[in-house]
Amino acid sequence: MKTLRRPKVRDQVASQIQQYIVEQKLGPGDRLPTEAQLAATFGISRLSLREATKSLEFLGIVESKTGVGLTVGSIDMERLTEHLSFHAGLLDADSQQLIDSRVILETGVLPHIARRMKEDSSIESRLRELVEQFRSARDLKSWIELDVRFHRSLLEASGLQPLVAFGDLLHIFFQRFRESVKKAGWKAGVESHDRIVDELAKGRVEAATAELRKHIESHKERLS
């Protein structure tokens, strides 16, 4: 029988601070109680409190400024996704589950993208510009960087910002799949991206969905 590990004080306090922010409906820039007040509230030393706030500062949840004290910050999603990429549960994630997760996430936003394309022509222009850059890629590193940018731009085009963060996290784990792409497959990848944009521009969401699903699931063939 395993011994239950007791949570560290700093983790408990960090959780309570986050709960306080939510309960008080505080937003970025709003001030938190002083260190002395928080330490007294939680019945801990100021040193323990600082350990807790340091972990929150790392993720951008709180900010500490001289002469101002603690304020609510803006979460640094890039740092957060990098931090979460080492989560054991995700490191051990089955490749098929990761592929299926991306299919669900990215195809799910296509109706939003098609609708927004009708209202904003710059969305189509931005995606087509990325497709053109693919054609001039000369090495795998450049191709991978463009692939990440294209799929991130798709999620951004939906206007659903929280999903962009989830996409960033999945892209971290897709790095090893992209590196399995051989140069012979680059052309097919570029043509697939082009067709996705074409179908979205025409408002044909079902066709765009089928193409995007086929594009993402092509990783399964290389992994089998």
Side-chain angles (χ1 to χ4, degrees):
M1 183 178 295
K2 291 184 178 180
T3 302
L4 293 177
R5 185 172 64 87
R6 295 180 62 187
K8 295 180 179 179
V9 171
R10 70 181 180 201
D11 294 336
Q12 292 178 315
V13 175
S15 178
Q16 288 178 307
I17 292 174
Q18 292 177 80
Q19 186 176 345
Y20 176 86
I21 292 172
V22 172
E23 289 176 349
Q24 298 299 314
K25 298 181 178 161
L26 302 180
D30 289 341
R31 295 185 65 172
L32 291 166
T34 65
E35 282 189 349
Q37 290 171 326
L38 287 172
T41 298
F42 300 134
I44 59 173
S45 68
R46 292 180 67 170
L47 177 61
S48 295
L49 178 72
R50 283 180 191 144
E51 287 183 357
T53 56
K54 284 295 181 187
S55 65
L56 295 177
E57 282 184 69
F58 174 78
L59 297 175
I61 295 173
V62 301
E63 294 180 358
S64 178
K65 296 180 181 178
T66 303
V68 177
L70 292 172
T71 60
V72 178
S74 297
I75 295 178
D76 186 332
M77 293 308 302
E78 183 175 350
R79 178 173 289 180
L80 179 60
T81 52
E82 288 178 2
H83 181 67
L84 289 176
S85 70
F86 294 98
H87 191 289
L90 291 171
L91 283 172
D92 295 334
D94 178 78
S95 59
Q96 303 300 322
Q97 290 183 3
L98 288 171
I99 290 171
D100 290 342
S101 296
R102 262 196 67 192
V103 168
I104 292 171
L105 177 64
E106 294 192 25
T107 60
V109 302
L110 295 185
H112 298 271
I113 298 172
R115 184 175 64 251
R116 296 186 79 230
M117 265 188 176
K118 292 180 181 179
E119 303 167 354
D120 184 355
S121 61
S122 68
I123 294 175
E124 180 183 349
S125 299
R126 192 158 56 247
L127 292 172
R128 291 202 183 278
E129 182 182 345
L130 284 171
V131 172
E132 286 305 310
Q133 290 180 38
F134 268 109
R135 302 187 196 281
S136 59
R138 293 291 178 267
D139 56 77
L140 182 59
K141 181 180 178 183
S142 299
W143 196 94
I144 290 173
E145 289 176 354
L146 284 167
D147 191 52
V148 172
R149 284 173 58 192
F150 178 84
H151 287 275
R152 192 177 202 278
S153 294
L154 268 183
L155 290 173
E156 289 176 335
S158 72
L160 303 172
Q161 193 60 34
L163 294 185
V164 177
F166 287 111
D168 287 345
L169 182 57
L170 287 175
H171 283 306
I172 293 171
F173 299 99
F174 255 74
Q175 188 75 8
R176 66 182 186 272
F177 302 152
R178 288 192 179 90
E179 290 171 354
S180 70
V181 178
K182 304 301 180 185
K183 194 163 186 177
W186 292 9
K187 183 180 179 181
V190 174
E191 292 174 348
S192 181
H193 286 128
D194 207 6
R195 286 192 293 271
I196 291 167
V197 179
D198 280 343
E199 300 296 359
L200 286 172
K202 295 172 183 175
R204 301 193 327 204
V205 176
E206 286 188 14
T209 298
E211 183 62 41
L212 181 54
R213 178 184 295 276
K214 178 182 175 183
H215 175 76
I216 296 174
E217 290 184 343
S218 66
H219 291 288
K220 290 184 179 181
E221 298 171 9
R222 289 190 294 275
L223 291 171
S224 60

